[in-house]
Amino acid sequence: MENSKSEAKSMKVTIYDIAKKAGVSIATVSKVINNTGSMRESTRQRVLEIMQQLNYQPSVMASALMGKKTETIGLLVPDISNPLFSEMARTIEDRAHEQGMNVIMCSTDDNPEKEKKYVELLQRKQVDGFIVGASFHDKNLLQELIKNNIPLVMLTQDEPSLDVSKVTVDDFKGGYEATAHHFFNGHQNIAIIAEYAYSSNLRMNGYRAAHEVYGSVVKEEYIYRTTGSILNGKKYFEKLFSRRDVEPPTAIFACNDQLAIGAIQAAKEKGLQIPKDVSIVGFDNTILATTTVPGLTTVAQPIKIMGEKIVDVLIKEIKAGKSLKERFLYNPELIVRGTTAVFNDVTVDMER
């Protein structure tokens, strides 16, 4: 008995070792491990005793190779330092654990090479399905997963080229409401700092639609695109306020909270008062929105609801063995705090 245990410590015991020592087939050992199929009780007990003698622990990978689910989800996000994705990931992990699933999370840093690396890694880990959050550059890589019938769902990204289940917020409506809020407060010179993402395209379309509804011409020189970070929020605020060819904006719509926080920091460094000198609206309503002084007016996504729903959708597809191609679109909500105010005591009719 002791010799058997010391042998197990010196080398990894496999299902093949169990089968050989018990004098049965690999299929029989598999049935014992998974508690399936019929066999003599004496055979089952013999296999169990040998597994105990050799201190054998069934491998998750081995189970996957035998067709059993690994009960693992792969989560791909562009930047875990973005509070939106860290809050989403927390909800996803909690919901997955409630459903008996584990989560392996990878942050791609918006880098196509990392995207490929992590997809290959998660495939080697035999994850049961993928949750892809927001932007993903290599659409062909995702199309390959879909082609191979690997469960894949998209979170906060309504990319039309991918015919899969999606859980998103109405980005167009959110962009419209953020911009309309500025117009309602009497602003006319409204800038936008957007991301290079499909969701930001929709938010920008909402920004343009609000201009049309309120009878204002979009000033293209007020439009900047970048990647979503506090540093870039500061950078493009400074660009907006250092140009000599255009009047500085009195209001800004930043397409995520990080960009908005960066804009707030840059404004303070320039000695500008918020919201007296410039009003700012963000998007997401992450924890950052409540930590600024003044608090950030922002468009809220229902982060917890969306995170739980995406897990439920993926597990449903894993069990079904096919893509159900469902789409869940949630309404955003404008949360008004201290970074926006009436411009020159002028308001316009909101009923538009």
Side-chain angles (χ1 to χ4, degrees), residues 112-217:
E113 290 183 5
K114 281 192 174 182
E115 290 175 353
K116 186 173 187 295
K117 171 187 172 183
Y118 286 135
V119 167
E120 291 175 349
L121 170 67
L122 292 171
Q123 283 186 287
R124 288 197 300 271
K125 296 289 186 182
Q126 297 284 332
V127 297
D128 296 331
F130 286 79
I131 295 173
V132 179
S135 60
F136 197 94
H137 295 276
D138 194 345
K139 302 299 188 297
N140 291 331
L141 196 58
L142 299 183
Q143 291 288 8
E144 193 65 26
L145 293 176
I146 296 168
K147 181 181 176 182
N148 291 328
N149 201 34
I150 296 173
L152 168 70
V153 293
M154 301 293 294
L155 176 63
T156 71
Q157 176 71 288
D158 197 7
E159 170 60 54
S161 67
L162 297 168
D163 191 17
V164 296
S165 293
K166 298 163 186 173
V167 175
T168 62
V169 73
D170 191 335
D171 290 296
F172 175 87
K173 183 178 180 182
Y176 176 87
E177 291 188 357
T179 312
H181 178 65
H182 284 317
F183 278 121
F184 177 68
N185 282 335
H187 296 275
Q188 288 295 315
N189 295 334
I190 305 169
I192 181 172
I193 306 174
E195 297 177 85
Y196 293 114
Y198 186 78
S199 58
S200 247
N201 292 344
L202 296 176
R203 294 169 195 179
M204 186 179 291
N205 289 343
Y207 164 85
R208 291 183 181 277
H211 277 76
E212 184 176 347
V213 169
Y214 283 87
S216 180
V217 177

Side-chain angles (χ1 to χ4, degrees), residues 264-285:
I264 291 170
Q265 290 180 358
K268 290 181 177 180
E269 289 174 8
K270 279 185 170 293
L272 298 174
Q273 294 183 46
I274 297 172
K276 180 180 177 182
D277 297 322
V278 58
S279 285
I280 297 173
V281 175
F283 202 109
D284 291 333
N285 195 37

